[in-house]
Amino acid sequence: MDSLEKTKKRALKILGSRNFSEQEMIKRLTSKGETPEDAETAVKWLVGLGYIDDSNYATLIVNHYAARGYGEARIRDELYKRGIPRLMWDEKIAELENADLNDPAFSFLEKKLRGSDDKDDLRRAKDALIRRGFSYEEAAAAIGRYLEALEE
């Protein structure tokens, strides 16, 4: 069996565990000892077969992290880590914004604060939102919506 066929076989085996981006698969194959040329050829072969699709994978990542209540910065970080081309980021995040999802920041605050309006709790919750990838403005607006909901 020549090295390219061996690389293709290894790539198919790796794909059995989870989805990968093109860059992730190339890195994975080269870390297993395959040559960069064979790895790139095998990945192009998998893309041609439809087994690797960065666009669909980016959509899965964006939806997964948004459903878990993470903000745009954290989602962008995950796309970067997984080697998704930057050109796709804005498109996929825009699709998410067009989807009618619940307010993840507000949902997070409801779970975290459970009706508390203590200033220290609010500050810690706002900081937690920022760590989850929301901007300062988004976190502050979510705190405002939370406090309005408490008053009702």
Side-chain angles (χ1 to χ4, degrees):
M1 180 183 308
D2 71 341
S3 67
L4 180 57
E5 290 302 316
K6 187 179 109 199
T7 304
K8 287 179 178 180
K9 186 175 179 180
R10 177 173 270 163
L12 284 170
K13 185 176 180 182
I14 291 170
L15 269 178
S17 62
R18 70 172 181 87
N19 289 324
F20 286 86
S21 70
E22 292 177 36
Q23 289 302 313
E24 282 181 311
M25 182 58 77
I26 290 170
K27 285 180 188 175
R28 185 76 175 264
L29 289 170
T30 54
S31 74
K32 297 284 187 185
E34 305 298 340
T35 67
E37 297 80 24
D38 284 349
E40 287 181 27
T41 303
V43 167
K44 286 179 185 173
W45 175 70
L46 291 169
V47 168
L49 292 173
Y51 290 141
I52 294 180
D53 184 342
D54 281 356
S55 180
N56 287 341
Y57 187 46
T59 301
L60 290 172
I61 292 167
V62 168
N63 291 337
H64 172 76
Y65 283 95
R68 292 186 64 199
Y70 289 102
E72 185 178 325
R74 175 68 183 269
I75 293 169
R76 286 179 181 278
D77 186 49
E78 290 299 325
L79 293 169
Y80 172 77
K81 284 180 190 176
R82 294 164 197 270
I84 302 296
R86 286 184 189 260
L87 297 173
M88 290 183 193
W89 295 6
D90 291 331
E91 174 190 339
K92 297 303 175 185
I93 291 173
E95 288 174 11
L96 174 69
E97 290 170 358
N98 292 336
D100 190 24
L101 298 174
N102 292 334
D103 182 355
F106 183 79
S107 299
F108 175 80
L109 290 175
E110 285 184 317
K111 291 177 193 170
K112 181 106 174 141
L113 295 171
R114 295 187 207 140
S116 172
D117 63 351
D118 179 65
K119 288 187 187 284
D120 287 335
D121 289 343
L122 292 171
R123 180 187 46 78
R124 282 191 290 273
K126 182 179 62 166
D127 291 344
L129 282 173
I130 292 169
R131 285 190 303 274
R132 290 180 75 82
F134 293 94
S135 69
Y136 178 83
E137 293 78 18
E138 291 170 323
I143 292 285
R145 291 189 302 275
Y146 172 78
L147 290 174
E148 286 175 15
L150 276 183
E151 291 175 4
E152 292 174 359

